[in-house]
Amino acid sequence: MLGVDEAGRGPVLGPMVYGIAYCPINQNKVLESLGCADSKALTEEKRDEIFLKMLTEKEAVDNVGWMAEVISPNYISNSMYKRAKHSLNEVSMNSAISLIKKTIELGGNITEVYVDTVGPPEKYQARLKEIFPDIKITVAKKADSIYPIVSAASIVAKVTRDHALKVWEFPEGLEINHKDFGSGYPGDPLTKKFIREQIDRIFGYPLLVRFSWSTAELALQERAAKCSFEDIDDENTKKPKGTQAISSFFSPKNERKRKRHKFFEERNLTMSNAFE
């Protein structure tokens, strides 16, 4: 069986991480002995402790596998801003589907999948069932607190995200410790301070920030330089007087006739239509 869950869906900064965990159906007791319960009710230290056991204790190593995908803030913003918008739900679902496929491709014999839902569970479950028709699919709200395998996946995702933030290096060259920007949630005072102070009037925020979040958008509107975009020219746009259309330079009627070479004139030779 395989569980799927995410971490970092709501913050205004930092990556979102999707995690999966999988184990034999008859080894659910291993997950329970590790302490895989509702990960939201666990402290960060407890999650680290459980994850370390998953990596080191023989029974866990022999029976529990895991995988994670880190989705950068820049990818999230680009997906939500591009012309064919890609919603966060779509980004989330695609990550989950990719991780399930990868596990199967690597040889995992997956017969049951349990997923903590994004959006309506019925719709998500139907989509997964269409892609994986031979697998029993269960998508539920708060699956993290119901199924230990989903809790294990949630621990993988949360621990990965926590440590990704701790070692984050700003490509912009900012020398800021992770303690200076907090958890990334809009209600965190440190995150609020970071959002207020780290605005470049031209380039906006560092890539740690999700530009597409309303918190960041509003702050940019207030403090960044104002800009506007010209309308795209079309065929009906009135051109300034005396301006030629670029197509006119390639039109046969404006093409200057080249003087024939003396060789052809002396021999009264003409170009065949096949080569004109």
Side-chain angles (χ1 to χ4, degrees):
M1 63 180 169
L2 181 148
V4 184
D5 201 2
E6 53 78 27
R9 182 178 174 81
V12 67
L13 57 82
M16 180 170 71
V17 178
Y18 252 79
I20 63 167
Y22 52 94
C23 75
I25 294 174
N26 61 0
Q27 294 299 323
N28 209 41
K29 61 180 182 179
V30 177
L31 299 171
E32 294 172 358
S33 67
L34 285 171
C36 293
D38 184 354
S39 68
K40 296 179 183 66
L42 302 174
T43 63
E44 182 179 337
E45 291 74 20
K46 187 61 178 178
R47 291 195 296 264
D48 283 348
E49 180 186 318
I50 293 172
F51 189 60
L52 182 60
K53 287 180 180 179
M54 289 172 65
L55 298 177
T56 57
E57 291 190 356
K58 187 177 187 309
E59 191 175 30
V61 172
D62 289 346
N63 290 286
V64 182
W66 61 274
M67 199 181 305
E69 180 179 19
V70 179
I71 305 170
S72 74
N74 192 42
Y75 180 84
I76 293 171
S77 295
N78 288 344
S79 295
M80 296 177 74
Y81 272 144
K82 65 184 181 181
R83 182 167 295 179
K85 294 187 185 299
H86 207 190
S87 72
L88 190 63
N89 279 1
E90 195 69 22
V91 172
S92 298
M93 289 180 189
N94 286 346
S95 178
I97 292 165
S98 173
L99 286 169
I100 296 170
K101 285 181 175 179
K102 194 170 293 185
T103 305
I104 295 171
E105 289 168 3
L106 291 173
N109 180 23
I110 306 301
T111 58
E112 298 179 9
V113 170
Y114 299 86
V115 184
D116 197 4
T117 193
V118 292
E122 300 80 12
K123 184 177 178 181
Y124 194 177
Q125 184 166 310
R127 180 175 177 183
L128 290 176
K129 192 64 183 174
E130 186 177 347
I131 298 170
F132 306 105
D134 299 325
I135 297 177
K136 177 187 173 184
I137 306 287
T138 301
V139 179
K141 295 178 180 179
K142 298 183 179 179
D144 178 10
S145 60
I146 302 171
Y147 306 103
I149 192 66
V150 179
S151 180
S154 182
I155 289 168
V156 168
K158 285 179 169 60
V159 171
T160 302
R161 184 177 189 276
D162 289 343
H163 286 268
L165 285 174
K166 287 177 181 177
V167 299
W168 185 274
E169 292 185 4
F170 288 89
E172 299 84 3
L174 297 175
E175 294 184 5
I176 298 177
N177 188 281
H178 72 279
K179 294 179 181 178
D180 296 327
F181 53 74
S183 65
Y185 285 88
D188 186 326
L190 287 175
T191 301
K192 284 183 178 178
K193 184 172 182 288
F194 181 88
I195 291 296
R196 283 196 310 268
E197 296 179 354
Q198 296 302 323
I199 295 180
D200 184 288
R201 281 182 51 77
I202 304 300
F203 299 106
Y205 284 113
L207 291 179
L208 179 67
V209 178
R210 303 178 188 179
F211 280 63
S212 52
W213 257 232
S214 60
T215 306
E217 284 185 335
L218 291 172
L220 285 172
Q221 288 172 15
E222 291 173 3
R223 304 190 62 185
K226 306 299 180 186
C227 64
S228 60
F229 298 90
E230 294 181 3
D231 293 334
I232 298 172
D233 289 341
D234 59 30
E235 291 180 355
N236 298 319
T237 301
K238 190 174 180 180
K239 300 178 179 63
K241 189 176 181 180
T243 302
Q244 286 182 270
I246 192 168
S247 58
S248 68
F249 292 96
F250 303 98
S251 174
K253 66 182 180 181
N254 291 326
E255 184 177 79
R256 190 172 63 180
K257 210 168 185 180
R258 289 183 301 171
K259 186 178 179 181
R260 296 181 69 219
H261 194 278
K262 188 177 180 180
F263 174 86
F264 295 98
E265 287 184 338
E266 290 176 345
R267 290 163 178 78
N268 199 27
L269 297 175
T270 58
M271 185 76 74
S272 167
N273 286 339
F275 296 96
E276 286 184 345

